[in-house]
Each structure stands twice: as structure tokens, then as C-alpha cells.
Amino acid sequence: MYSKNRQLLIPALAATLALAGCGGGGQQPPQQGAPPVTVSAPLVQDVVDWDEFVGRFEAVQNVEVRPRATGYLQGVWFKDGQYVQKGQLLFTIDPRPAQAAVAQAAAQLAQAQATLANAQTEYARSEALVAQRAASQEELEQRRAALRSGSAQVAAAQANLRARKLDLGFTRVVAPLSGRISERKVDVGNTVATDQTVLTTIVSVDPLHFVFQGSEALLLKYQRQGTGDRNGTPVKIKLSDESEYSHSGTLDFVDNALDAGAGTIRARAIVSNPGGFLKPGMFGSARLEASRPYPALLVPDTAVMADAARQIVFVVDKSNTVTARPVQTGPLRGNLRVIRSGITKDDRVIIDGTQRARPGVKVTPQPGKITETAAASAPPSDAPASTALPAGNR
């Protein structure tokens, strides 16, 4: 049985091998043509360079509220952490001692005014007697001196009364500015001392300052560009949990000297904060305009490749041959990379299919178009960072 099956399989196998040999000998591998790639001229667009800094927000005004009268704290008239208006009542100190002092000063003024009135009467009488030769000139001079003394006493009593009224007014502690108030640091019933006890603190909310440190190298760059006075320069800021620079401000202060130890200079921007979302002490990353708008060439960042220590892009010449061009790149704007040098606005840059292109190889170019994403209108996301450190960490 086994030998019979074997005899049937041998002719079938031989026929199969013969057919396979005939088919393989007649088919040749297809020849491969020039690979297709997508090319486009660089996008020409006005761009602005930005420098990056790390800093933190600070209140424009930060006030420690201290009493200007000594006494027992009688009342607290705000809620911890609320927004207060300038002139709003915050604390009251027991006013009774000050009220008594005001009453005493008023009585002293009335006494001085009575003395002055009597001196005026005596002087008028002596003046009439001198005219009638019934009194001496010496007596008239004495009456005149008494009149001057009475006037001075009235002026002193009036000044004393004003001072006592000020002391009475100081028993009402009001907000010196509008802003966010902290918690009360002294409870009702405690004694507070003039200009010593800190009752609470208030910080202004809108606007805020963003303070940062710039390197000496950047300062020299700005000065050599003729832009050493940077006041009014736009600033974009993002917080630590944000991906976009959504907060805008303007530079309003650059210090007059560098920190000799760190080699940096202090700068400050003013940022509007109408909703009060930003808080003093928050850290952020800021970008400062480092140039005026200038026309730049942009290509997709995916079209830029690293070749050893340089960066290149593939360009297709008139004979459809690929050429590698070394380029100097700038910041990234969304999905597009700024090219500072190495190509011209008329070059055909390979923007798709770079994996199929090799220098010196012919390709089949297909026209394409470079488009920017919505994020490209924002400040570049990888501008060279300065050597700045967070303000206040030195």
C-alpha cells in the first residue's frame, strides 16, 4: 500500500517542479523609478524674536497695616481674605481716652479765647486813655504784649485741639489702598501700640508686577542693537501649568546696575489682572520681544534634519536632483521652523517624503503648500532661554 502511494506522488512532484521552473525563468523584477516627494518654496512671513526669562509676580503695593493710636482693640470690620476698598473701616480702637483728650483740648481753647477777648478789651481801654493823656505809653505797651500773648495761646490751643482730633480719628483704622486683605493678626481685646503692632496686610490686585533677572549678555545685545531702553516692550507670560503665553504685559522698569555677584540685572513688567486670578508670589515664564518684526523664511520643522553637528534640509534643483543644504535655524513658531540662512525664498524644499530622498538622487517633485497651525501666531515655543534665575532666589 505504501509503495503504491509513493509511485503516484513522484510523477506529481516532478510536474510541479517543472511548472515552477518554467514560470520563474520568464518573469523579471520591475524597475523602480524616481521616488515622489512633495516640495514647496519656504513660507515668507514677518516674525519677531523673543527672549525667555523666569520670574514671579509681585504686588504693585504691599502694605502692613499698623495702628496710629495705642489702646485696646475694640472691633474688626472685615472678613479674612476679602477684597477691601481704600478708606474702608478695618479696625476700631477704644476711642474714649481720645474723646476725653479732645474735650480737654476744646476747654483749653475756650479758656484761651476768653483770655484773648479780655486782653483785647484791656488794650482798647488803654488806647483810649492814652489818647486822653489819662494813661501812660508804658501801660499801653503792656496791654499790647498781653494781647499778643493771648493770640498765641489761642493758636496753640487750636493746634492742640486738631492734634487730639487726629488721635481720635486714628482710633479708626481704615484701608490705605484697595486690594486683597490678609487675615487679622490681632483679636479684639488685645492692646495695640502705635506704629508697632501689625494688624494685617493688604496687597494690590490689579495690576501686578512680574519681576525677573536678565543676563549681562542679553543686556549687551539690547544695547548694541540700540534698544537698551526697553520700557514699553511687550511681554508674554505663562504660568507653570499653562502651555500658551496667555498673559500680556509691558516692560516698565530696568534697574540701573547689575548684580555684581550674579552678573544679572533686575527688570520688571506690569501686567493687568482684572479678574484677580494672578496672585503675588506665583512663578511664571516670560518672553520679551528681542527684535522688531522682520521677514523670515519658514519651513515645517519636520523638514529640518540633523546631520552630525549641523542641521540640513533637502532641496530639489532644476534637474530634480536632491541636494542637502546646511541651514542655520531659528525659533519654532507652531509647526514651522525659522530658517535664518542656507536657503532662499525660491528654493524647492522637500516638505514630505524626506525618508525617500537621498543627496544626489533624482526624485519626482510634486507641488505642495506650507501652512501654519493656529499656535504659530503665539510666541515661539523654544526661543533660546536666558541665563536668568527666578527673582528673589539669589
Side-chain angles (χ1 to χ4, degrees), residues 212-295:
F212 57 93
Q213 305 283 345
S215 67
E216 182 178 355
L218 286 176
L219 178 64
L220 289 173
K221 183 186 76 170
Y222 295 149
Q223 293 187 157
R224 295 191 189 283
Q225 290 176 348
T227 57
D229 183 8
R230 308 284 292 168
N231 287 354
T233 303
V235 175
K236 300 287 186 181
I237 303 170
K238 70 174 182 179
L239 302 180
S240 58
D241 65 340
E242 294 177 337
S243 59
E244 296 185 3
Y245 292 78
S246 55
H247 308 282
S248 301
T250 55
L251 195 71
D252 74 333
F253 169 76
V254 177
D255 213 342
N256 58 359
L258 277 81
D259 184 330
T264 57
I265 191 166
R266 184 173 181 268
R268 186 184 71 195
I270 190 163
V271 183
S272 61
N273 187 31
F277 177 77
L278 302 173
K279 298 291 189 295
M282 283 184 175
F283 280 89
S285 177
R287 286 200 168 125
L288 175 69
E289 277 193 5
S291 70
R292 295 181 175 88
Y294 65 93

Side-chain angles (χ1 to χ4, degrees), residues 10 17 59 73 107 125 192 211 225 228 240 261 335 353 358 393-394:
I10 290 174
L17 290 174
L73 193 64
R125 182 182 298 109
V192 296
V211 181
Q225 290 176 348
S240 58
N335 64 322
R358 296 290 183 273
N393 284 5
R394 302 192 178 276

Side-chain angles (χ1 to χ4, degrees), residues 65-365:
V65 180
R66 300 173 185 262
R68 301 183 66 181
T70 298
Y72 288 96
L73 193 64
Q74 191 178 63
V76 178
W77 305 101
F78 68 91
K79 293 182 180 179
D80 294 347
Q82 78 174 84
Y83 186 88
V84 297
Q85 297 289 344
K86 182 178 180 180
Q88 180 177 332
L89 179 64
L90 303 178
F91 300 92
T92 51
I93 300 169
D94 186 0
R96 291 173 296 178
Q99 290 171 345
V102 168
Q104 184 179 10
Q108 290 173 350
L109 175 59
Q111 183 179 9
Q113 289 172 336
T115 301
L116 176 60
N118 183 59
Q120 289 173 337
T121 301
E122 292 294 333
Y123 177 76
R125 182 182 298 109
S126 296
E127 194 174 32
L129 292 175
V130 168
Q132 297 174 4
R133 298 181 180 273
S136 65
Q137 189 66 31
E138 181 181 1
E139 182 180 349
L140 181 62
E141 291 298 328
Q142 291 176 351
R143 301 299 183 191
R144 183 180 289 116
L147 179 61
R148 291 172 179 170
S149 177
S151 297
Q153 290 176 3
V154 169
Q158 289 174 337
N160 183 53
L161 179 60
R162 288 195 296 270
R164 301 291 75 78
K165 286 183 177 180
L166 280 176
D167 290 342
L168 179 60
F170 291 154
T171 61
R172 292 170 50 88
V173 181
V174 298
L177 72 153
S178 298
R180 186 73 58 185
I181 197 167
S182 181
E183 62 182 356
R184 65 182 184 276
K185 300 184 182 300
V186 181
D187 292 324
V188 172
N190 288 286
T191 302
V192 296
T194 302
D195 297 332
Q196 294 183 10
T197 307
V198 178
L199 300 174
T200 188
T201 59
I202 303 176
V203 295
S204 59
V205 175
D206 185 25
L208 291 179
H209 281 150
F210 184 80
V211 181
F212 57 93
Q213 305 283 345
S215 67
E216 182 178 355
L218 286 176
L219 178 64
L220 289 173
K221 183 186 76 170
Y222 295 149
Q223 293 187 157
R224 295 191 189 283
Q225 290 176 348
T227 57
D229 183 8
R230 308 284 292 168
N231 287 354
T233 303
V235 175
K236 300 287 186 181
I237 303 170
K238 70 174 182 179
L239 302 180
S240 58
D241 65 340
E242 294 177 337
S243 59
E244 296 185 3
Y245 292 78
S246 55
H247 308 282
S248 301
T250 55
L251 195 71
D252 74 333
F253 169 76
V254 177
D255 213 342
N256 58 359
L258 277 81
D259 184 330
T264 57
I265 191 166
R266 184 173 181 268
R268 186 184 71 195
I270 190 163
V271 183
S272 61
N273 187 31
F277 177 77
L278 302 173
K279 298 291 189 295
M282 283 184 175
F283 280 89
S285 177
R287 286 200 168 125
L288 175 69
E289 277 193 5
S291 70
R292 295 181 175 88
Y294 65 93
L297 303 179
L298 297 99
V299 300
D301 190 48
T302 54
V304 182
M305 294 166 288
D307 180 18
R310 62 179 186 173
Q311 291 180 303
I312 62 171
V313 297
F314 285 156
V315 175
V316 178
D317 62 15
K318 293 181 179 179
S319 63
N320 293 339
T321 302
V322 177
T323 304
R325 292 279 186 87
V327 293
Q328 180 184 1
T329 59
L332 185 68
R333 296 180 57 84
N335 64 322
L336 304 182
R337 175 72 65 176
V338 173
I339 304 298
R340 299 195 186 279
S341 64
I343 59 174
T344 67
K345 64 179 181 179
D346 298 321
D347 284 329
R348 294 188 297 171
V349 178
I350 298 179
I351 62 174
D352 189 22
T354 53
Q355 70 276 9
R356 296 188 295 272
R358 296 290 183 273
V361 175
K362 287 187 177 295
V363 293
T364 303

